[in-house]
Amino acid sequence: MSQIISYSDFVARAGVGELRPLSTVEEITHMAKIANALPHWFDQRRATTLIAERVGVDADLIHRLMALEGKSWMA
């Protein structure tokens, strides 16, 4: 997959639509890492919020997951 450089790319090509409430932590973490690689902080935030909505959790939980991975822009 070529580099995802915007929020619209993330929505269209990252596979975030396949996330469900029963997705594994590994699947969610993979999507969060793609979101974290977006160049603009606002796109990162929107992507993380979308992930949270898809899996049915609060966006802050996704941010804490990324902080545990040591890759959070929110830490």
Side-chain angles (χ1 to χ4, degrees):
M1 175 184 326
S2 61
Q3 184 177 7
I4 295 174
I5 58 168
S6 70
Y7 176 75
S8 59
D9 279 347
F10 178 79
V11 172
R13 299 188 303 135
V16 73
E18 297 174 14
L19 290 176
R20 303 280 182 255
L22 296 177
S23 294
T24 66
V25 172
E26 290 81 14
E27 292 168 332
I28 297 166
T29 301
H30 176 72
M31 285 296 142
K33 286 180 180 180
I34 294 171
N36 194 49
L38 293 171
H40 194 275
W41 70 267
F42 189 69
D43 285 344
Q44 293 172 352
R45 182 69 182 202
R46 290 173 63 198
T48 304
T49 300
L50 178 61
I51 292 167
E53 290 171 356
R54 295 291 306 163
V55 298
V57 300
D58 189 73
D60 289 335
L61 180 61
I62 302 297
H63 294 296
R64 287 195 302 265
L65 173 66
M66 290 311 296
L68 289 175
E69 290 289 320
K71 298 177 174 30
S72 177
W73 62 92
M74 300 297 292

